[in-house]
Amino acid sequence: MDKLILTPVQVGSMTLKNRIMFPPLTTGYEERDGSIGARSLGFYERLAKGGAAYIVIGDVAPVRTASPTPMLYDDSQIPAFQKLADALHAHGSRLGLQIFHPEYDVPGVGKLIMEATRLRSEAAKAKKADDEEEFQKLTEQAETATREAYAKLRHDMQHFVDEADVQQLADIRESIARCAVRAQKAGVDAIEIHGDRLLGSMCSTFLNHRTDSYGGSLENRTRYSLEVVAAIREAVPDLAIEYKLPVVTVNPDGTFRGKGGLVEEEAVAFAKMLEAAGVDMIQAAQANHTGNMGDTIPPMGDVPYNWTLPAAKRIKEAVSIPVATVGRVVTLEAGEEILKNGEADIIGYGRSLLTDPDIAVKAAAGECIRECLNCNKGCVDAIQSRRYISCVLNAENGDETTICLKPADTVKQVAVVGAGIAGLEAARVAAKRGHKVVLFEQGDKTGGQIHLAAAPPRKSEILRAITYYDKILPSLGVELRLNTRPDALELNGFDHVIAAVGAHNMDLPLPVENSNVVSSWDILNGKEVSGSCAVLGGGLVGTETAEYLAAKGHKVMIIEMTEQIATGESSTVMPLILKDFKTHGVEQYVNTKVTKICDNIIHAVNTADQTETVLTADTIVNALGSKKNTFDASGITVPVTYAGDCSGERTADIAAAVRGGYHVANAV
């Protein structure tokens, strides 16, 4: 039976060859001036090669801003977007630009930033001329201007929607229309109106407190958005117009999630207005403006799959134009079911296309698709930290122009020792390149530490990483030998050996006497313990072990030498951990260094003020970290390379393990 997701759909003036959409994500791949450079072009073209029908570039600013986003505010930028449009069209994909305007006075903030830049330049000249007094004066003035710029920015982010006068709003509206004209000249197929940010703030009862014709009633609050629609329609009558409609949803406890945009009832009513105004497509999405991207792009275990679908379904029932849904639609099967039920017309696979850009191609061929974990570590965290995004499972993100699988020059017999995540990826890559691969694992299952990572609350979805390899490796002809530890004689029968033997829970580096100390790894593997628990080490493993034990009903304390627990955890996950700690009464002792353990009494010192602390627990959990396993290469006469935890001085997280396995196997 043909898949609905691969059937075409008409959106205004453009035909999409299938129902797979890459929704707007801030990638960080653009050049410093907001232009589309080689990295952006390579990333989006890779999505087109993978068969995505509709690719939307997120947060394209129609004015020059301080925000690190794509920009199309000047005709000189048109050729770069033209090159992007041509590249996508060559693969049958359509290009949309999500035009947005930030919710602050861009010229006002920009003027202060430019003044600070000018003053720093003058200060540098004074420094070069050995005029120390002038240098100090100009430097202080530059710092003052910078502080004023960011103070205004912080103020505007909260109040600009109320304080912007009618002329400012008109100027912004016209800048958006001019940007649409440039997009049309560049060969872009559609304009997506960013209904969040400034427009979402204008629509919102939570953020819009105006008393003029743009405030109060639904008609007034949506007036500006409809004016923007009309301005774009007039400026580019032949382009398709999509509207990202942010919906303020309701949490299980009855509180609202999101501030910009509209509550569901109003969103449905507004969708009808948008259709009447000439909008060709609506994307129903979660509203933002909470300060936590996890509210918009939630991590694994936080909300149900397809969590914004109820709103999309209601909007779909109210309008006749196509409706797209986004939000934890992880699998191809889930998207197909949504289409089959008539709940939406187009499926937005955002994080999923980072994980596997070939969803459409593989769907057509019936091949295994690598599925997103919704961990947020490589993507959402990067957006918030102003870094370029990448998926922990995909070694190519952002480097598509320089990193790809290379067919093997000579087919080799390759042994991969260790079926943790690094070994699994190494086996996949080596086999994809044409090598004959045997994967050895001394245990009785693949996955290694992934099974430990999946044990804590909300983390079971990480097992999708193993499921993918269990499906894909047999189809690539990889021979898996479980419960097997090959010796040198056996490995010498291969042309190349990749060692990916992992790590182990390190021993406590301090005196321990007559105490019940257990490994965090043993606990996450299912070992039962009793009584109160003290977890030594507040890294990721320690934090998750504390959550795991608390969920089982133990009284838990966590002891960390530095000033903060879980420093490497996703910023969207940390609020969930802290909420869970509060619910279960988990005590945190930070800046606390354990010196010795005797009779289940923990002796420690506060690293900040050197005061001594004594704590007791029935079970003491060693979560101080891991140490790489040593691979015995003695007697092996063929080349040996290393991947994952065993390859360096520091053990690897999942992203480093995947990339290590990928690059080592790609070099064989």
Side-chain angles (χ1 to χ4, degrees):
M1 181 183 295
D2 291 337
K3 295 180 175 66
L4 287 173
I5 205 163
L6 297 179
T7 59
V9 59
Q10 192 70 26
V11 178
S13 58
M14 70 174 176
T15 302
L16 303 181
K17 64 180 179 178
N18 61 49
R19 311 299 180 100
I20 295 173
M21 169 187 182
F22 182 72
L25 277 177
T26 302
T27 66
Y29 296 151
E30 296 76 30
E31 303 302 303
R32 291 183 64 88
D33 64 355
S35 62
I36 301 296
R39 172 168 273 168
S40 287
L41 181 63
F43 172 74
Y44 291 116
E45 186 173 14
R46 179 66 184 83
L47 293 176
K49 288 179 180 178
Y54 182 39
I55 297 169
V56 182
I57 314 303
D59 290 349
V60 179
V63 291
R64 186 172 185 175
T65 77
S67 301
T69 67
M71 300 180 200
L72 184 52
Y73 60 85
D74 188 84
D75 286 357
S76 64
Q77 297 167 311
I78 292 174
F81 282 91
Q82 175 73 64
K83 188 175 181 180
L84 175 62
D86 290 345
L88 269 56
H89 292 161
H91 299 285
S93 299
R94 298 298 184 180
L95 172 62
L97 297 192
Q98 182 196 59
I99 302 182
F100 92 113
H101 193 286
E103 57 277 38
Y104 62 84
D105 173 15
V106 172
V109 172
K111 184 178 180 181
L112 290 169
I113 291 176
M114 289 178 65
E115 176 63 9
T117 301
R118 185 191 69 79
L119 288 166
R120 285 195 177 86
S121 177
E122 292 298 319
K125 292 177 183 177
K127 182 77 170 179
K128 190 174 183 179
D130 293 325
D131 189 341
E132 186 64 26
E133 182 178 349
E134 185 69 6
F135 168 72
Q136 291 293 341
K137 183 183 75 172
L138 290 169
T139 299
E140 289 176 7
Q141 290 175 354
E143 290 174 352
T144 297
T146 301
R147 285 194 297 271
E148 290 176 352
Y150 284 100
K152 177 174 175 54
L153 180 61
R154 287 190 295 271
H155 172 86
D156 282 6
M157 293 294 279
Q158 297 183 48
H159 304 293
F160 182 69
V161 64
D162 291 335
E163 296 175 351
D165 61 39
V166 172
Q167 186 58 52
Q168 283 178 300
L169 293 175
D171 291 343
I172 292 170
R173 184 176 64 241
E174 291 309 307
S175 73
I176 291 172
R178 288 193 298 272
C179 184
V181 171
R182 294 187 191 99
Q184 184 178 48
K185 291 179 180 178
V188 169
D189 303 287
I191 300 297
E192 179 183 286
I193 299 171
H194 198 331
D196 212 320
R197 303 301 296 264
L198 175 60
L199 270 63
S201 299
M202 293 291 288
C203 290
S204 171
T205 55
F206 301 95
L207 300 175
N208 182 344
H209 309 102
R210 300 176 71 101
T211 57
D212 62 0
S213 61
Y214 290 122
S217 66
L218 175 63
E219 180 184 11
N220 282 357
R221 283 181 283 113
T222 58
R223 186 186 306 278
Y224 186 66
S225 293
L226 292 173
E227 289 177 354
V228 169
V229 171
I232 293 174
R233 178 54 75 204
E234 181 179 357
V236 287
D238 297 329
L239 286 192
I241 297 179
E242 176 202 349
Y243 194 97
K244 180 184 177 182
L245 177 52
V247 182
V248 177
T249 55
V250 181
N251 292 315
D253 63 2
T255 59
F256 289 110
R257 188 183 190 109
K259 295 179 181 178
L262 299 156
V263 296
E264 190 170 303
E265 289 292 335
E266 289 192 332
V268 173
F270 184 42
K272 296 177 184 178
M273 299 181 199
L274 290 171
E275 181 177 23
V279 166
D280 299 301
M281 170 181 165
I282 292 173
Q283 177 196 152
Q286 168 62 39
N288 205 334
H289 289 276
T290 64
N292 177 16
M293 286 196 68
D295 285 337
T296 315
I297 313 177
M300 66 171 77
D302 182 28
V303 298
Y305 293 121
N306 315 337
W307 67 298
T308 61
L309 184 59
K313 181 181 177 181
R314 288 197 60 191
I315 291 170
K316 166 72 176 163
E317 292 169 348
V319 300
S320 59
I321 55 177
V323 173
T325 185
V326 295
R328 276 178 50 82
V329 186
V330 173
T331 67
L332 178 70
E333 292 75 16
E336 187 73 11
E337 186 70 13
I338 290 168
L339 296 172
K340 179 181 176 182
N341 293 335
E343 295 167 318
D345 303 284
I346 294 164
I347 309 297
Y349 287 106
R351 289 174 287 182
S352 292
L353 280 166
L354 293 179
T355 306
D356 194 332
D358 293 320
I359 290 176
V361 169
K362 290 180 177 179
E367 294 180 13
C368 180
I369 295 169
R370 181 164 49 192
E371 294 171 354
C372 172
L373 306 181
N374 286 176
C375 67
N376 281 4
K377 288 186 181 295
C379 51
V380 178
D381 281 3
I383 294 172
Q384 295 204 144
S385 303
R386 305 302 191 193
R387 295 179 285 111
Y388 72 79
I389 62 175
S390 62
C391 176
V392 297
L393 298 180
N394 185 348
E396 299 172 1
N397 281 154
D399 296 303
E400 287 82 1
T401 58
T402 57
I403 298 175
C404 63
L405 294 183
K406 301 174 295 184
D409 294 328
T410 303
V411 175
K412 297 178 180 179
Q413 302 289 327
V414 178
V416 179
V417 184
I421 200 75
L424 291 167
E425 176 69 355
R428 181 190 76 87
V429 170
K432 285 281 286 185
R433 296 184 59 222
H435 295 307
K436 305 298 183 182
V437 180
V438 177
L439 175 59
F440 296 92
E441 168 55 44
Q442 67 178 0
D444 60 0
K445 58 187 176 183
T446 63
Q449 296 174 51
I450 294 295
H451 294 284
L452 304 180
R458 304 180 311 277
K459 291 299 181 75
S460 63
E461 293 183 48
I462 201 171
L463 292 173
R464 282 199 291 273
I466 304 174
T467 303
Y468 167 70
Y469 290 110
D470 287 345
K471 290 179 180 178
I472 193 70
L473 293 184
S475 73
L476 295 174
V478 174
E479 181 185 346
L480 173 62
R481 298 182 189 175
L482 296 174
N483 301 304
T484 304
R485 189 169 185 173
D487 58 19
L489 181 63
E490 184 170 15
L491 293 176
N492 283 338
F494 292 86
D495 300 309
H496 194 102
V497 174
I498 298 175
V501 295
H504 60 276
N505 201 139
M506 65 183 290
D507 296 331
L508 287 178
L510 50 91
V512 179
E513 297 179 17
N514 192 35
S515 298
N516 179 28
V517 178
V518 298
S519 157
S520 61
W521 287 33
D522 287 341
I523 287 175
L524 294 175
N525 262 324
K527 181 180 178 63
E528 295 292 339
V529 296
S530 60
S532 61
C533 300
V535 178
L536 309 187
L540 297 183
V541 174
T543 303
E544 292 182 345
T545 304
E547 261 202 289
Y548 175 83
L549 290 167
K552 283 181 165 288
H554 295 282
K555 178 176 173 56
V556 180
M557 68 177 77
I558 186 168
I559 302 169
E560 166 58 31
M561 186 169 64
T562 65
E563 62 183 5
Q564 184 179 337
I565 66 168
T567 52
E569 185 54 276
S570 167
S571 57
T572 61
V573 174
M574 273 306 296
L576 304 178
I577 292 175
L578 296 177
K579 181 180 178 181
D580 197 33
F581 276 10
K582 185 177 181 179
T583 299
H584 291 100
V586 175
E587 298 178 79
Q588 294 183 47
Y589 292 88
V590 296
N591 294 318
T592 303
K593 181 179 181 180
V594 177
T595 56
K596 70 175 182 177
I597 302 170
C598 183
D599 299 323
N600 272 42
I601 299 173
I602 302 164
H603 298 268
V605 61
N606 186 293
T607 58
D609 59 18
Q610 302 305 308
T611 57
E612 294 186 358
T613 301
V614 176
L615 304 165
T616 61
D618 299 307
T619 300
I620 299 168
V621 181
N622 170 17
L624 289 184
S626 58
K627 187 175 182 180
K628 70 175 183 177
N629 291 329
T630 301
F631 178 72
D632 184 5
S634 59
I636 300 177
T637 57
V638 300
V640 178
T641 49
Y642 298 83
D645 283 336
C646 71
S647 65
E649 292 302 316
R650 298 185 64 183
T651 52
D653 59 17
I654 187 171
V658 167
R659 280 153 179 76
Y662 179 101
H663 290 298
V664 165
N666 208 20
V668 173

